[in-house]
Amino acid sequence: MLIFLGAFFCVAAVVAGTLAVVAVRGILDGAPERIAAIQWHSDFSDLLSADRCCRHVLTGEIDTRECPNEFDCRRCSEHPRHAQYNGDRLYHRGHACAQWNGDGSYNVTLDDAARGVIRGPLQLPEVGSVVFVNGTAWKAGDLRVLSPVTGEVIATADGSDGWYLRVRPETGFRTDHLLRGPEVEAWERYEAERVSRLNEDPDAAARLLLNA
């Protein structure tokens, strides 16, 4: 009887271990977007409550609201009720911009505030790799620049021509989460006030701007 029970539990342990390995491999190999989302969830949770405010608070459309969707307005039921603006340059709240090329791709770069304080060697993704909204677009030293778009990287550059990545977005990609028009001016004023408290420390400013 003891031999039978021992054999039974050994088999059960092997089966459970195998299922666990398969589950972990499925997460790691099949869902890079989920891994990026988990990292951004952690980074967003570390922001001060005031810094998690809804974009429509910045423009004065509503009085107060903390974003419940981690700045991803594509999942927000409230966002479509407010004003929408057109424009070819769209701003991510991590200070990366996406500009439509007209050829089915976006140029991804930094806005002026981030470009002025970010230092360090660039670690750009490989052509053919995929970037995800709020996942790592590229690294500058030990800082992550968050991607404003989801899609395949089709070209990279050092920024001297005004862009770092050229990305072909996934089918059906929406840009509701990106700032545009008058929203940008209101948000830039808010960010300038945040940075002004850092006594001109460029490293601290870079980390603040990139939500790092």
Side-chain angles (χ1 to χ4, degrees):
M1 186 65 176
L2 291 176
I3 295 176
F4 172 77
L5 290 174
F8 172 79
F9 285 119
C10 284
V11 171
V14 170
V15 171
T18 300
L19 292 175
V21 169
V22 170
V24 171
R25 285 180 177 174
I27 293 174
L28 295 179
D29 297 337
E33 186 171 11
R34 178 176 296 180
I35 294 172
I38 291 172
Q39 186 171 13
W40 169 239
H41 175 76
S42 176
D43 292 343
F44 182 83
S45 298
D46 290 339
L47 293 177
L48 297 175
S49 177
D51 296 334
R52 295 197 296 263
C53 67
C54 171
R55 65 199 279 180
H56 300 293
V57 172
L58 299 176
T59 60
E61 296 170 80
I62 55 179
D63 292 333
T64 180
R65 183 174 186 256
E66 184 174 310
C67 178
N69 297 302
E70 300 175 349
F71 296 157
D72 192 344
C73 305
R74 296 172 300 176
R75 297 187 280 127
C76 182
S77 60
E78 292 293 321
H79 177 62
R81 302 181 186 182
H82 299 284
Q84 301 292 304
Y85 304 100
N86 295 319
D88 64 347
R89 195 174 190 193
L90 310 176
Y91 289 72
H92 185 272
R93 287 176 70 169
H95 289 267
C97 306
Q99 186 166 16
W100 182 247
N101 283 317
D103 63 355
S105 69
Y106 286 98
N107 280 351
V108 180
T109 185
L110 295 170
D111 68 9
D112 293 339
R115 193 180 296 112
V117 296
I118 288 179
R119 303 289 184 270
L122 297 180
Q123 302 170 52
L124 298 169
E126 294 183 1
V127 172
S129 62
V130 176
V131 293
F132 304 98
V133 170
N134 294 327
T136 302
W138 69 88
K139 292 184 177 180
D142 62 345
L143 295 174
R144 294 193 312 133
V145 176
L146 302 183
S147 177
V149 298
T150 293
E152 178 187 357
V153 177
I154 59 175
T156 64
D158 63 4
S160 59
D161 291 330
W163 60 278
Y164 295 88
L165 303 183
R166 186 161 289 161
V167 178
R168 181 183 295 115
E170 65 179 359
T171 302
F173 177 72
R174 292 165 50 194
T175 60
D176 310 48
H177 60 297
L178 300 176
L179 305 177
R180 64 204 75 197
E183 295 177 320
V184 176
E185 183 179 354
W187 170 68
E188 287 180 336
R189 286 198 303 268
Y190 178 81
E191 292 291 87
E193 291 175 2
R194 294 173 72 202
V195 171
S196 68
R197 307 184 195 118
L198 299 177
N199 297 319
E200 300 183 356
D201 181 338
D203 291 335
R207 293 185 183 282
L208 183 69
L209 292 174
L210 298 182
N211 300 319

